[in-house]
Amino acid sequence: MGIEQTLSIVKPDAVAKGVIGKIVDRFESRGLRIAGMKKIQLSTADVEAFYAVHKERGFFKDLVKYMSSGPVVAMVLEGENAVIENRIIMGATDPKNAVAGTIRADFAESIEANAVHGSDSDENAKKEIAFFFSKREIL
Ligand code: CMP
């Protein structure tokens, strides 16, 4: 616990809707600092590598297609218990189950186009941050 870093991705549906700023505000208002940020178009190969853990899942092909369908915004969020805090702010994976006031309840379209991604553990956060950012891009 203590001060942690975690990876957040504003997914293509939320970028296309023009709610990047509203989503960033949710993090900053709850005390998470933006330590790194970039807008990036992921290739099919990028998404396959990033979500490799899900490659046997039935939804994998659609997930790859969707996540490479338009630009995303990747962020390093930093703060007290950042991994769990980010997951609380995001809400449940399926927006139908997301608590009111969470990002997914307010902005997600579906379980696939669910507005944001967040690392699920400190260990994965380190790997996912390294996937998107070099050391000099995290300040
Ligand atoms: P994310 O937190 O980015 O991690 C994996 C993603 O796969 C998840 O959000 C969803 O966007 C997607 N996902 C998870 N479960 C399903 C599912 N049952 N059907 C479609 N997409 C899913």
Side-chain angles (χ1 to χ4, degrees):
M1 296 293 195
I3 298 292
E4 293 175 340
Q5 290 182 338
T6 190
L7 184 86
S8 171
I9 304 174
V10 181
K11 295 187 177 185
D13 59 301
V15 172
K17 258 201 252 175
V19 293
I20 298 168
K22 285 183 178 157
I23 289 174
V24 170
D25 182 54
R26 301 286 174 105
F27 299 132
E28 291 190 322
S29 313
R30 296 279 295 264
L32 292 177
R33 198 176 69 78
I34 312 299
M37 188 178 217
K38 65 173 67 169
K39 191 177 196 185
I40 179 170
Q41 171 67 54
L42 297 171
S43 67
T44 300
D46 289 331
V47 182
E48 283 172 352
F50 183 78
Y51 280 122
V53 57
H54 295 304
K55 67 174 182 293
E56 306 303 335
R57 308 286 292 271
F59 59 80
F60 186 67
K61 234 177 131 186
D62 286 342
L63 178 63
V64 171
K65 200 168 159 193
Y66 160 65
M67 285 297 288
S68 56
S69 67
V72 300
V73 174
M75 282 175 275
V76 179
L77 305 178
E78 185 180 274
E80 196 74 34
N81 304 324
V83 173
I84 288 172
E85 277 302 312
N86 179 35
R87 295 184 71 77
I88 294 168
I89 296 166
M90 287 194 298
T93 305
D94 186 344
K96 285 196 222 99
N97 304 324
V99 172
T102 60
I103 291 172
R104 283 166 170 162
D106 292 345
F107 302 116
E109 299 294 328
S110 64
I111 191 166
E112 179 178 82
N114 64 353
V116 279
H117 166 81
S119 309
D120 64 2
S121 66
D122 193 38
E123 191 191 344
N124 283 337
K126 288 186 170 68
K127 288 185 199 157
E128 291 183 358
I129 288 169
F131 184 92
F132 281 96
F133 293 91
S134 65
K135 284 232 155 49
R136 67 178 186 173
E137 294 172 322
I138 303 170
L139 304 158

